[in-house]
Amino acid sequence: MSKVRAPQSVAPDGKIHDRLDYLFTEEGIPVPGDGAELVLVDLGDHTIKYHKMVTPPVQVATRRGDGPRELFEGGEHMAIGDSVTLYFSGSDTGTPAWQVPLNLPNGLALTYGQIVALGGDFYGIPDKPISDGATAAERIARFSAAFNSLATLPASNKEAHEILQVMQVEIDAANQAINDGLPAHEAYDKLGDTLSLKWNVITGGGPTGIPLGRYLKLAAVNWDHFGSWAVLAYKAGHTAALQQAIKAGKSGQRQDLELAYAMNAFADHFLSDLFSGGHMRTPRKQLHDTVTSGFVSSFLSRYMHDEDCKFGLNVNNTQDDNWHAYGDKRYFDTVDVGNRNRVGFIVQSSVDEVFESFLYGTAPTPDEYAANSLLPDLQAVQNHLSTANYSPLFVAQGSTVLRRQNINDLNDRHWTADWWGATTLALLKASYNPNKPIGYLEPPTVSPVLQPNGWQSHTPSPPNWVDGNAVRYAFSYTSGLNESYAGPWSAFVELQGSYFPTLNVPEDPSGKASGRNIFRQFRNTPPTLVGSVARGVTSFIDRQN
């Protein structure tokens, strides 16, 4: 006999509010007779993911004389933003963004990376997505309103600090996983949606997700973060930032250039989203427009989003650059190092255009933005008939969205228009357990072995190759653009008079791998890719400082 569970809340007008998840549980959602109105709430698909690991407010160091800071402590989106260099004059040699407070009109002083992290997910106008603007001018106006919700509202000063303080939980968990030699995404998986509920409260909602705060309202209509819609949102914000940079050049006031950088940081949130596999081909907007319940479409998008983030996608750009892009929760995983480098490069290019507009008083047109040639080719990655990637869960075709016939077979290249949102969601919740895509490489089961007599130097080389430090290694299998996760780490070896070791790196016993990537980790630092070996080679010398 099924248990009876009370709804989460009943409003004064008699409306029953409950979470959509409970529709698919044994208890269900009790509805007291005909005529009752049920309001369903979900947690959206912007929970613990690609861009939520941000440090809390800190005293920003002076530009000179401060020691180095490990970027992994800033998290995903914040690390992307804070890894760039900012310039303020033609003779300026540049300053790391994490050292520069950008002062906003309402008194907030945030780093570039903090604004990247807050933009779009926490601040914006829920009923006015930027990309829904009918013209470029309207999209710029919508972007300005979204940015001003962070930059000009007095209430945002206190609220933003509270949001960033909650994010410290993610930082600590991810840092601990990295230091333990585990993939950072495992820490995010353990956190689940717990922080989302706290952010919902901070932004005006309830502790159970009911009522919706701004955070969850934005998540419910967040196609600004996906595919071509993200391109429109970024270009609107980048255009506004360039216009502000030109004004700053005329005024000569640093605060005006800081505002231009802050606007661009908000826009770069959408730009950096386009390097997350789950944001490239998920038809977020089309699912919302074609599925009866907006919340059902949000859940369906989340399944595809998480699938593409987990397994990643092979992508390319117009410069004939090819790579594999993982997604949310995996920015610091060893498999995503190539994607991590590329998103850092494109965000720096975006920042450089702001400074050049400030310096020279002119701005490129949207067709001339550096991002155009550096972004993944969305048309190519969204081509469901291409065998470059496994089969997408959903495919947009005009006003119709097709679904993969076998939800659990990533290699099933058959799609159907004969499906319903609610029944598909029930099927996913009950039995979703996808197989591995073709070309998937299982990680090694062994670690590299350090040769006792293979040390190449007996001269310390600061800052890492010094007595008292310790080092360990792991490796992954590679085959073209495909790469496995790293296998187990070797034990830490204490450094004492010997440095730069020689490793024995076993080959793939299955014969699928054509090479191996070698990763090094010094004690209390994040892992680093230090080299590769091809098939047939089992010896590797670590020569990197």
Side-chain angles (χ1 to χ4, degrees):
M1 182 175 178
S2 297
K3 294 177 287 185
V4 177
R5 184 187 60 80
Q8 286 201 306
S9 68
V10 179
D13 60 4
K15 293 181 180 179
I16 299 170
H17 292 71
D18 217 326
R19 282 173 52 178
L20 181 60
D21 303 60
Y22 292 134
L23 274 179
F24 308 96
T25 64
E26 179 184 359
E27 295 87 350
I29 297 178
V31 179
D34 295 338
E37 187 172 349
L38 179 64
V39 179
L40 299 176
V41 178
D42 82 313
L43 292 182
D45 52 283
H46 262 61
T47 52
I48 308 301
K49 45 183 297 192
Y50 188 59
H51 40 285
K52 290 283 178 23
M53 233 177 74
V54 185
T55 55
V58 296
Q59 288 298 113
V60 180
T62 57
R63 290 180 53 179
R64 292 179 176 82
D66 187 53
R69 166 175 150 178
E70 295 295 345
L71 287 178
F72 81 96
E73 293 183 354
E76 295 188 332
H77 252 318
M78 184 177 177
I80 293 169
D82 277 351
S83 67
V84 303
T85 300
L86 300 180
Y87 302 88
F88 289 90
S89 71
S91 60
D92 192 351
T93 58
T95 306
W98 63 265
Q99 295 184 9
V100 183
L102 299 176
N103 295 284
L104 302 180
N106 61 358
L108 270 171
L110 301 171
T111 69
Y112 196 94
Q114 286 175 323
I115 298 172
V116 174
L118 293 170
D121 280 354
F122 295 92
Y123 290 93
I125 312 300
D127 60 346
K128 291 187 177 180
I130 297 166
S131 58
D132 279 0
T135 64
E138 184 180 348
R139 290 190 290 273
I140 292 171
R142 287 179 175 230
F143 171 84
S144 297
F147 173 73
N148 287 338
S149 71
L150 169 66
T152 65
L153 293 181
S156 297
N157 198 320
K158 177 177 180 291
E159 181 190 75
H161 288 307
E162 292 177 352
I163 291 169
L164 295 175
Q165 286 171 341
V166 170
M167 289 179 183
Q168 186 64 43
V169 176
E170 274 185 58
I171 299 168
D172 293 342
N175 286 350
Q176 187 62 55
I178 291 170
N179 286 334
D180 291 344
L182 300 172
H185 76 260
E186 292 187 8
Y188 304 155
D189 292 342
K190 290 180 180 178
L191 287 171
D193 286 330
T194 56
L195 301 190
S196 294
L197 294 173
K198 293 181 180 180
W199 288 320
N200 189 59
V201 172
I202 292 171
T203 58
T208 62
I210 302 169
L212 295 178
R214 187 183 63 255
Y215 171 72
L216 292 184
K217 288 179 181 178
L218 287 168
V221 292
N222 63 354
W223 45 85
D224 278 347
H225 305 255
F226 289 82
S228 59
W229 312 102
V231 175
L232 290 174
Y234 165 70
K235 286 188 172 182
H238 190 52
T239 300
L242 296 180
Q243 293 171 352
Q244 173 61 29
I246 292 174
K247 293 179 182 177
K250 293 177 180 178
S251 73
Q253 298 296 312
R254 179 184 170 108
Q255 64 188 35
D256 290 339
L257 181 54
E258 287 185 14
L259 183 59
Y261 278 139
M263 295 169 71
N264 203 65
F266 200 100
D268 279 347
H269 180 103
F270 309 109
L271 178 65
S272 51
D273 266 340
L274 287 164
F275 283 77
S276 169
H279 290 248
M280 295 178 186
R281 64 178 187 175
T282 301
R284 180 69 179 90
K285 169 75 168 170
Q286 294 91 331
L287 280 168
H288 180 273
D289 291 346
T290 59
V291 177
T292 303
S293 167
F295 288 122
V296 171
S297 72
S298 181
F299 266 100
L300 296 176
S301 296
R302 185 173 181 175
Y303 273 97
M304 180 170 175
H305 165 276
D306 290 353
E307 182 176 280
D308 285 353
C309 284
K310 177 179 179 180
F311 294 108
L313 299 171
N314 293 327
V315 296
N316 64 277
N317 59 27
T318 59
Q319 295 188 346
D320 294 325
D321 186 17
N322 301 277
W323 71 98
H324 195 82
Y326 287 87
D328 304 359
K329 306 178 183 179
R330 287 168 171 77
Y331 175 80
F332 288 111
D333 287 357
T334 55
V335 291
D336 207 40
V337 62
N339 193 44
R340 186 162 67 240
N341 291 338
R342 287 172 175 86
V343 69
F345 184 81
I346 197 173
V347 172
Q348 183 65 61
S349 299
S350 177
V351 169
D352 290 346
E353 283 181 332
V354 173
F355 179 64
E356 289 163 3
S357 295
F358 162 78
L359 208 57
Y360 303 116
T362 60
T365 67
D367 290 338
E368 298 170 330
Y369 291 164
N372 294 335
S373 63
L374 300 172
L375 279 171
D377 184 338
L378 295 178
Q379 185 174 0
V381 78
Q382 290 170 7
N383 179 6
H384 64 291
L385 299 179
S386 170
T387 57
N389 287 299
Y390 56 86
S391 171
L393 182 58
F394 297 106
V395 176
Q397 286 197 334
S399 58
T400 301
V401 177
L402 308 179
R403 195 205 76 195
R404 190 169 65 217
Q405 282 193 352
N406 186 339
I407 62 169
N408 285 320
D409 186 358
L410 301 186
N411 306 304
D412 174 20
R413 295 198 170 272
H414 300 89
W415 297 270
T416 178
D418 186 17
W419 65 281
W420 295 92
T423 54
T424 292
L425 181 57
L427 181 64
L428 287 164
K429 285 181 174 289
S431 59
Y432 178 70
N433 185 27
N435 58 8
K436 305 290 176 57
I438 293 175
Y440 183 84
L441 296 171
E442 295 290 349
T445 58
V446 296
S447 59
V449 177
L450 279 70
Q451 296 181 9
N453 299 318
W455 298 91
Q456 301 298 303
S457 173
H458 298 288
T459 302
S461 182
N464 293 311
W465 294 105
V466 294
D467 292 350
N469 205 352
V471 67
R472 66 178 179 176
Y473 293 86
F475 71 98
S476 64
Y477 294 131
T478 62
S479 178
L481 295 181
N482 294 325
E483 181 179 2
S484 75
Y485 273 90
W489 289 91
S490 63
F492 273 115
V493 174
E494 301 292 327
L495 298 178
Q496 188 64 43
S498 297
Y499 320 99
F500 302 102
T502 301
L503 313 176
N504 287 328
V505 188
E507 295 227 58
D508 178 10
S510 73
K512 295 180 180 179
S514 59
R516 282 141 291 153
N517 283 339
I518 293 87
F519 298 90
R520 177 186 68 201
Q521 183 179 29
F522 290 109
R523 186 160 43 207
N524 298 322
T525 68
T528 303
L529 174 64
V530 292
S532 304
V533 292
R535 179 182 288 158
V537 178
T538 57
S539 181
F540 174 80
I541 300 174
D542 183 1
R543 303 181 189 275
Q544 290 199 22
N545 212 341

